[in-house]
Amino acid sequence: MTVKVYENMLPVCTIASEEHGIELDFEKIVKLVEKIEPEVMSLSPKGNAHFNAEPETVNEMITKWNGWNILLINEPELFKVYEIILKGIKEFAEFTGFKEPVTYLGAWATLTRKGRQVFPHMHNFHMIGHIAINAEPSTTSYSWKDKDNKEYCVPVENRNGQVQVTKTVNHHSSVWEKDESRVTIGFDVIGMEHIKDPRPLPPCFPILLE
C-alpha cells in the first residue's frame, strides 16, 4: 500500500520511482530550475506573503509559489512530472474517498541551498504534495494537533523521484547540508470552494480525477 496513516490520523501517500515506473532526468530538471530562478524571483504575485518572517527566506523561490506554474513550461521532463503527480493525487483521492471530479492544480519549484530549509507553513487546499528532484538526504515533516490539542510531528524521508501527497497540514523540510541545490516540485490540489475564495490563488489548470 502506498498510503500510510500516521498516528491513526494523517494519511500520506508516497509513491517511489520503482512503483510509478516513470524515469526522470533529475539533472535536467535541476538545471532548468536554476536557470529560471532569476526570472521567478522577479515576479510580484498578488497577495504574495511568505509563511515565515525569517529574513533570508525572502530571497528564495518558494516565496513566489503563487506567481507561476512550473507545469506550464514546455519541457518534456515536466510532462513526466505531471504524470507522477496525477498518480499520487488519484491514489490519495481513492484512499480518502475524495469525490470532487474536477479540481485545479497549482505547481512550483523550490530551490534550497546549503544550510537552508523550507520553513514550517500550511496551504489551505484539498491536498498538498511534492516530488523530490534532488532532495536526498532530507525529510519533510508534517505536524498537526488533535482535538485535545496534543501535538504530533512525523518526518517522512525524501527519495528522488518520489511523490508525497497528503491533506492540508503544517509541513517543513530538514536543513539541507549538501553543496548543490536541493530541488523539489511542490503542488496544491485546489477545489471550487477555493476558486471562489477572494484570496489570490496560484496560476492553475483543471484536472480530472475520474
Side-chain angles (χ1 to χ4, degrees), residues 123-192:
H123 311 207
N124 295 310
F125 300 117
H126 287 315
M127 303 176 204
I128 62 168
H130 69 278
I131 294 181
I133 302 300
N134 185 43
E136 297 180 11
S138 72
T139 59
T140 295
S141 292
Y142 302 100
S143 56
W144 71 97
K145 294 180 181 180
D146 65 15
K147 58 182 176 57
D148 297 317
N149 218 34
K150 181 180 177 180
E151 294 186 6
Y152 299 84
C153 184
V154 172
V156 179
E157 182 182 3
N158 287 303
R159 295 172 58 196
N160 293 341
Q162 176 181 274
V163 61
Q164 293 181 30
V165 189
T166 188
K167 60 182 182 180
T168 291
V169 68
N170 196 292
H171 55 287
H172 68 275
S173 76
S174 55
V175 175
W176 183 240
E177 301 291 356
K178 297 176 77 172
D179 290 325
E180 69 259 28
S181 302
R182 178 186 184 274
V183 172
T184 66
I185 295 177
F187 58 90
D188 289 321
V189 176
I190 302 164
M192 282 305 300

Side-chain angles (χ1 to χ4, degrees), residues 101-134:
V102 181
T103 53
Y104 294 80
L105 186 66
W108 60 91
T110 68
L111 190 158
T112 309
R113 293 187 168 84
K114 186 175 182 178
R116 303 292 298 162
Q117 68 181 115
V118 175
F119 284 88
H121 66 289
M122 190 161 73
H123 311 207
N124 295 310
F125 300 117
H126 287 315
M127 303 176 204
I128 62 168
H130 69 278
I131 294 181
I133 302 300
N134 185 43

Side-chain angles (χ1 to χ4, degrees), residues 45-49 65-66 122-126 168 190-204:
K46 272 189 174 184
N48 187 40
W65 71 276
N66 65 334
M122 190 161 73
H123 311 207
N124 295 310
F125 300 117
H126 287 315
T168 291
I190 302 164
M192 282 305 300
E193 65 190 83
H194 307 117
I195 298 295
K196 296 172 183 176
D197 193 304
R199 292 172 297 181
L201 292 172
C204 53

Side-chain angles (χ1 to χ4, degrees), residues 15-24 26 84 131-132 136 159-163:
I15 307 178
S17 294
E18 57 268 25
E19 295 173 296
H20 59 62
I22 299 172
E23 292 186 13
L24 293 174
F26 300 120
I84 298 169
I131 294 181
E136 297 180 11
R159 295 172 58 196
N160 293 341
Q162 176 181 274
V163 61

Side-chain angles (χ1 to χ4, degrees), residues 33 36 40 61-63 65 68 70 107-111 183-186:
V33 172
I36 65 177
V40 171
M61 285 181 78
I62 195 169
T63 63
W65 71 276
W68 65 303
I70 190 169
W108 60 91
T110 68
L111 190 158
V183 172
T184 66
I185 295 177

